[in-house]
Amino acid sequence: VGHRWLVPMDNLRAIPHSLSDSLCKLVTGAGNIKRALYTDDDDIIRSYRRVILVNGINLVVDQPDLLDRTQILELERIEADKRRTEEELNKKIKAMLPRVLGACFELVSETIRLLPQVNLIEKPRLADYAEIGCAVSLALGKSAHEFELAFGSNIARQVQESVDASPLAVCLTHLTDLKRQLEGTPTELLKLIKVHANEIGIDLRSLPQTPRGFGKRLQEVRTSLEAIGYRVERGKAQKRWIRIVAPPGSPKDGENVDMTSFESFQESRTPGINVFHGGETASSNN
């Protein structure tokens, strides 16, 4: 990590929660301090902010905080008639390298020139990344709106994967769609969720086992639930209470239950982008 900007992690099956937390810090910025020598009192301070490349047959990133920092690319299997030997690939890369390197330098230069002209009306969580992405899109001769759509699609995929990866989130969305609203203490809701999980075939061992654990796990998936239209409220009067309200248009009791449309989510949640260029304002929402 200390000697490279790109950190590849190849052919993973899963990412433990502890490693997921470390990768979050590594992407947004982290560091450590240690003694320079055992014989003096000087410190060595190392700061890290890296690009992480994670590869696997399936999507191994499933924690909401790491998904928020992830761009998801799903690649197709290479067809048999298009496969190449390593010698062929190296020869082709060697021939292309000068042209590709020159194009990268030109793209970086043009992106830096256009970046001050990009202004986000509504900033997403990765605001700096979104601004640079818009500038790159303009430098490539495309519009900011094209990047906006691609970025919004990735956000929608992140939310979908976060919900699907959590048995608690799946159970909550399913049950809330049926009842339209869940309300009660953590103890009451946990009992209700376990009964419903048993009915729809979710392993009870994958759910929180205590009311306190339920509250902590709910907080982890709350952002994803709210992103797809569910309203999650928590309060404390004489006793703790939780209220979860289904989004408008969710199936009612007796109807087929379906997950929230992420295309609608993309249209409603994708940040608007204004690009100030040459004294004119071009809005991607027009």
Side-chain angles (χ1 to χ4, degrees), residues 116-132:
Q117 304 173 29
V118 175
N119 177 47
L120 302 185
I121 297 175
E122 180 183 338
K123 291 179 172 58
R125 181 167 185 177
L126 299 178
D128 293 305
Y129 176 85
E131 286 185 345
I132 294 173

Side-chain angles (χ1 to χ4, degrees), residues 6-26:
L6 175 66
V7 181
M9 304 179 69
D10 190 32
N11 201 27
L12 299 185
R13 289 182 176 269
I15 297 180
H17 289 191
S18 58
L19 178 57
S20 181
D21 293 340
S22 297
L23 292 179
C24 286
K25 293 188 290 184
L26 193 58

Side-chain angles (χ1 to χ4, degrees), residues 215-263:
K216 293 174 65 175
R217 292 273 291 276
L218 177 62
Q219 190 65 22
E220 291 176 358
V221 299
R222 179 175 182 172
T223 301
S224 297
L225 293 177
E226 291 178 338
I228 57 177
Y230 293 86
R231 193 170 79 247
V232 181
E233 301 173 355
R234 304 180 69 167
K236 183 177 181 181
Q238 294 181 348
K239 59 181 180 180
R240 290 184 299 164
W241 58 269
I242 297 172
R243 182 186 299 121
I244 304 173
V245 182
S250 296
K252 298 179 181 179
D253 196 2
E255 296 179 349
N256 292 330
V257 178
D258 192 9
M259 294 298 289
T260 302
S261 170
F262 288 97
E263 291 159 354

Side-chain angles (χ1 to χ4, degrees), residues 88-100:
E88 291 174 310
L89 285 175
N90 289 337
K91 184 177 181 181
K92 191 171 184 179
I93 291 172
K94 186 176 181 179
M96 294 173 57
L97 187 59
R99 188 169 71 254
V100 171

Side-chain angles (χ1 to χ4, degrees), residues 124-160:
R125 181 167 185 177
L126 299 178
D128 293 305
Y129 176 85
E131 286 185 345
I132 294 173
C134 289
V136 170
S137 184
L138 292 171
L140 290 172
K142 302 181 182 297
S143 68
H145 185 54
E146 291 181 74
F147 174 80
E148 177 189 24
L149 292 177
F151 190 56
S153 177
N154 185 77
I155 293 174
R157 175 77 185 277
Q158 291 170 353
V159 175
Q160 180 181 7

